[in-house]
Amino acid sequence: MPADVTRDLIKLGRCLLLCLLLTPWLSAAEPTWRVGVARVNITPDEPLWMAGYASRTHEAVGTFCELWVRACALEDPDGERNVLVSLDLVGMDRTLSQLICQAVSAQTGLRRSQLALCFSHTHSGPVVGRNLEPLHYRQLDAAQQGRIDRYADRLRQQVVDAVRQALDQLQPAELWWGTGRATFAANRRQNAESDITRLREMGQVQGPSDHDVPVLAARNPDGTWRAVWFGYACHATVLDDYSWCGDYPGYAAQELESNQANCVALFWAGCGADQNPLPRRRLELAQQYGAQLAQGVAQVLAVPAGLQPVRGGLRSGYAELPLPLDRVPTADQVRQAAESADRYERARAALQLEQLATGQALPATYPYPIQVWRLGDQVQFIFLGGEVVVDYALTLKSALRGRATWVAGYANDVMAYIPSRRVLAEGGYEGGGAMVYYGLPGPWSPDVERLIVDAVVGLERSLEDQHAVDGGEAVDGGAGVDPHVGQGVRLP
Ligand SMILES: [Zn+2]
């Protein structure tokens, strides 16, 4: 599509979006919730290596759009609170995530289950701490690594600040939920990038996708919107440039916020590990997909039948599941890998040798984070760590009926790809090839899909027990629920 036509479409979409967002259709209702929001700019203020692609050869040189951490606090009628944090970043390693959650807990009293960190997985953000370490191991000089470490330190405080500000600004609001749609995500394992336009025209796009756009919206007593949460299952990989950018999720959030003063729009990535925005690689496409996603949200907000009220209270559970690897290399095999012709195999082996030298064995399992929130009696919101393929969302939506089921990937700790049994058996990048870039020592066990789905279902059901035991007051407790920050309960 020519660039001027694309620009006209984006402009037309903006006009539609503004009209939709300003449509005051909802009848007045007594707000029973309190909602607070905050945004903190996390665009690096010095040159920094960019995350997501191994092929980059130098640090960022410009900015297409600012990067943000956005926080939204919910408080139910009984005073129970949850805070969603949305970050324009590729992901985060477990250590940094734990440090942030512990700092938030110490300063706000939130339990681990009440805080969810969601990463947009933009590939136009900075390297974050030790995330994807083999990609950069021994490739950066001391000054470059020092800037990465300083950024991680500053980010920790910025996230804490955003959460505190959101909690400080709790105000009465109504909560509404609905589901929109956007169709630019395509299964990247089953559709060649060069063929996608033709396949779409012929209605022959292959493979599973999830085109739902779940929406949660907080409405002020004066009818304006204070906060919008929206999800989509697709890699944020339109761009591979050297400029900071939130990619399509960043443009979608910017679009929603620019059309409604003081509204904060929080994106969460769904199970889009095997989905790409196609076609891609042009700035106007990132803007166009952002506009499409924002319109998908705005259409839900504008139609009376599109939104349902959220009634009831909050409940939350968090657990860490010891997720098994299929096999772990011996020390001899690691030493062999350290001589590999592949730079990333060598980097992973070097990191493993450092670990072995301290007397620690290579782990046979990974403490995999799962989290479930109930938003009133209407929505169950599941947060899974890692790059989760779309099969998980489709399976969990069908396994957990009776409420709207939303499934976020890229939540709390992005430690690896999380293939389904099908994708694991098929192999390829998402099925095991990508493990080297995250530094985990082997492929996942074929049981991981069953273990994760069973653990999520068990955790969700434990929220029911929580209600029975605690008389409706949401606390961390019950089977499989981790009551402490950073300490996992071992699920069966
Ligand atoms: Zn990815």
Side-chain angles (χ1 to χ4, degrees), residues 121 123 235 387 410 417:
H121 200 49
H123 281 43
H235 258 82
E387 300 205 41
Y410 304 90
Y417 274 80

Side-chain angles (χ1 to χ4, degrees), residues 350-427:
L351 287 161
Q352 290 170 346
L353 287 173
E354 285 177 13
Q355 185 170 347
L356 291 170
T358 66
Q360 296 177 66
L362 298 180
T365 62
Y366 189 90
Y368 181 75
I370 59 175
Q371 187 171 13
V372 182
W373 287 355
R374 278 206 193 159
L375 308 176
D377 299 322
Q378 293 77 31
V379 177
Q380 49 209 359
F381 196 171
I382 295 155
F383 302 89
L384 300 177
E387 300 205 41
V388 185
V389 299
V390 73
D391 295 351
Y392 283 85
L394 303 177
T395 298
L396 285 166
K397 284 182 194 189
S398 124
L400 292 167
R401 292 171 179 275
R403 295 180 183 82
T405 300
W406 300 348
V407 190
Y410 304 90
N412 295 310
D413 168 9
V414 185
M415 79 303 287
Y417 274 80
I418 305 297
S420 59
R421 193 177 180 95
R422 172 184 71 81
V423 170
L424 196 62
E426 289 172 3

